[in-house]
Structures are given as structure tokens and as C-alpha cells.
Amino acid sequence: MPEQPYDVITMGRIGVDLYPLRTGVPLARVDTFGKFLGGSPSNVAVAAARLGRRTAVVTRTGADPFGDYLREQLREFGVDDRWVTPVAAYPTPVTFCEVFPPDDFPLYFYRQPKAPDLEIDARELDLDAVRAARVFWMTGTGLCAEPSRTATLAALRARGRTGITVFDLDWRPMFWPADDGHGSSGPSPSARYREALAYATVAVGNLDECEVATGEREPYAAARALIEAGVELAVVKQGPAGVLAVHRDGTTADVPPLPVEVVNGLGAGDAFGGALCHGLLAGWDIARVMRYANAAGAIVAARLACSSAMPFPHEVEAALAEGAVTATSERA
């Protein structure tokens, strides 16, 4: 019997997050850390799995114990790791953060000399599975280097704008090669983003990311520019101002955030992404999807970790019913 398509396949970053177990302490003085699965697309797959979706991630790790740990974690979270392969040449990335609630969470990425997740090769993709997935989720970081860029575009072309194809704008300037002023680094990030937007049906990003992709920073102007670039649904995250969603058919939802006692805001966007996939697959109206995704993000913002903090459906429904989220103990 043929295998059923995945609800969600994500593609891109993975790594180990090392988070201080005490908040409000600089890294220079931290002596205990928690180890967690990290990397935005991988966390989105975990978030969608927590909400009952069949998910998988396409990525690469180092051929080392941290890579083993990440594959074990994916399986424990219910994410298929069949397309998570080792790269002998590069170590598994590690990311440290500092936690200064409510709004200061510096990140320190160790992805040198090159992250294995940028070694995804188009020739190794299961394009039939990518094409069949109900949602395919890719990120801007996947466009920053070869062979990942070519692989990401190959996956997008294989989709042919079928199903739901989400472009998480995911602007991380430190991952992109510096331009020496003579154009030696090739097309600009904005040009790379425009190329990918032509294949996406949904774009998701904060104001900084929207500005890189479109040149527009005002939320409604950015949403219109994303639609003009090719997507059907533009989702503009505005932090404390909430989230704006604009559909090509004219439907608009401007949803305020759920009040939250923030512990660590770093995983909120990934929880939002997994819940966005869940709501779109459920066929909900845009306003309901945004409210649900906001609640999922708020729950994770009230917890220390990212992956292990992703909420279950009953937790999201409870947060929506209560109208706010308070900090809670970490869920194992």
C-alpha cells in the first residue's frame, strides 16, 4: 500500500541549543546549561507534530555524537528523521543564548567552518515526497550558500505551487557571505528571496525580514509587496503589535498578541509556524489561524526551551480560553 503523504515537510537548519538554566545571567557567569534540539525548521516540524500532524525534516548534521542526539530527539518528538543525514566534514552546529526577559535574548551561533545543514544536495532529495506533502516549509537561511540554495530551489520547483508552500523569510545576516563592494558574492539576499517567493504560496516574516524580502517595512505595504511577489497569503509578525495576515483575495486579519509572562522568546516563532501549518491544514479562516498560532507562540515564550516547550492542542485551547499565558515549569 502506498505511503500516505506527510502533512508537513520542513527543510533547513538543525543544531543543538545550549540554554542557561538560570535567567538574567550573562554567559560569562553561567555554569549550567540545558541541551535541546534547535534550528527553526526542525522546531517547526516538532511543533506541528505536537499538534497531531505527520511531519518530517530534510536536513544534515555532523557525523558526531551531537548529530546522534538530534536524530534521537526528532524521533522522540514524533518527527520522521529519514532525510536527516550525516556530513563527515563538518561538526554539528551549537547555539548558545543569553536569557534576559522580557525581550533580550542574544544568540551566539557556532556554525564554522560550515554548517552541515547547508550541505543538503538536490541530487539526494526525495522530490516525490516533497511534491506530495500537504505543506512544504523552507527558510531564507537555506538560500545563503551552496549546495543548499540549489537544493531549496529544486524542492520549490518540484512543488510547482501545489499544496501549501511556506517561505519562512528567516533573515539571519551572519549566515550570508559579505559583499566586498564589487558584487563578488553574487546576487543580493533580496534577489535570492524574490526568486524563492515566486514559488511560495505563503510567506511568513517579521518586519526586518519583510524589509529584506520586499524593501517595505510598513506592515500593510510589506504584505501587499509579498503578494505582488507571488504568494497567496502574507503573514507579517509585528512583535508586541501582534500579527497581520493578508490574503490575495482581500481577506485581512490583524490579530493582537496574547498577553504573556515571557521567559524566553526565542522559540515563539517556531511554535507559531507549526500552529500556522496546523490551522491551514485544518481549513480554518485566517483570523482563527492567527489567533491559534499566536497562542502557541505565547506558550513557548513562557517556557525556557524551544523544541521541548512546543504545546499540545489542549494547551493552546486552554490559553485561548484564558486569554493570557503565564510562565510555567518546563515540560520534559
Side-chain angles (χ1 to χ4, degrees):
M1 184 175 180
E3 190 173 52
Q4 291 297 308
Y6 288 88
D7 291 320
V8 181
I9 294 178
T10 68
M11 179 175 177
R13 280 203 321 279
I14 196 168
V16 175
D17 286 346
L18 293 174
Y19 287 177
L21 296 182
R22 293 167 58 203
T23 63
V25 179
L27 281 180
R29 289 171 35 212
V30 173
D31 55 9
T32 55
F33 295 86
K35 181 178 68 177
F36 305 98
L37 168 75
S40 181
S42 301
N43 281 336
V44 168
V46 171
R50 279 273 170 98
L51 297 173
R53 298 299 177 175
R54 182 170 181 254
T55 70
V57 60
V58 179
T59 189
R60 306 197 74 181
T61 70
D64 53 32
F66 275 153
D68 296 338
Y69 164 76
L70 293 173
R71 288 187 289 275
E72 290 171 2
Q73 284 290 285
L74 287 170
R75 291 192 293 270
E76 286 185 15
F77 288 129
V79 178
D80 196 323
D81 71 332
R82 69 178 64 188
W83 298 305
V84 182
T85 57
V87 177
Y90 303 119
T92 299
V94 175
T95 302
F96 289 86
C97 82
E98 292 179 302
V99 182
F100 297 106
D103 57 4
D104 187 17
F105 308 102
L107 283 169
Y108 302 88
F109 293 98
Y110 292 81
R111 291 169 60 88
Q112 299 299 328
K114 186 180 184 182
D117 54 56
L118 294 176
E119 286 291 291
I120 301 171
D121 194 300
R123 294 168 297 184
E124 298 171 354
L125 294 177
D126 185 340
L127 292 179
D128 288 338
V130 168
R131 190 179 296 112
R134 299 175 68 196
V135 175
F136 176 67
W137 178 288
M138 47 73 64
T139 76
T141 295
L143 303 173
C144 76
E146 292 291 2
S148 172
R149 179 186 302 127
T150 293
T152 301
L153 291 172
L156 289 172
R157 293 188 185 103
R159 296 281 292 174
R161 296 181 61 82
T162 59
I164 300 167
T165 301
V166 184
F167 183 0
D168 175 7
L169 301 179
D170 183 42
W171 170 239
R172 303 283 184 174
M174 71 287 290
F175 296 163
W176 289 76
D179 190 334
D180 65 3
H182 302 285
S184 63
S185 63
S188 68
S190 295
R192 299 293 189 191
Y193 274 50
R194 287 193 296 272
E195 185 177 8
L197 282 168
Y199 298 99
T201 63
V202 180
V204 184
N206 61 31
L207 295 177
D208 291 338
E209 293 164 339
C210 289
E211 187 172 19
V212 170
T214 69
E216 299 285 354
R217 189 170 181 85
E218 192 281 321
Y220 281 90
R224 289 192 295 269
L226 289 168
I227 289 171
E228 289 170 4
V231 306
E232 299 295 313
L233 176 65
V235 180
V236 182
K237 296 185 285 188
Q238 306 171 76
V243 61
L244 170 68
V246 178
H247 195 278
R248 181 178 293 275
D249 66 9
T251 305
T252 299
D254 199 343
V255 179
L258 208 63
V260 56
E261 181 183 346
V262 175
V263 173
N264 183 357
L266 292 174
D270 302 335
F272 181 99
L276 172 68
C277 293
H278 177 66
L280 293 175
L281 288 171
W284 297 341
D285 64 75
I286 292 175
R288 181 181 178 187
V289 174
M290 295 304 118
R291 288 193 298 270
Y292 194 93
N294 266 352
I299 290 168
V300 173
R303 298 172 175 175
L304 177 64
C306 293
S307 53
S308 61
M310 295 301 168
F312 292 92
H314 71 275
E315 294 176 305
V316 182
E317 296 295 345
L320 287 168
E322 293 168 9
V325 176
T326 56
T328 62
S329 60
E330 197 67 54
R331 178 181 293 273

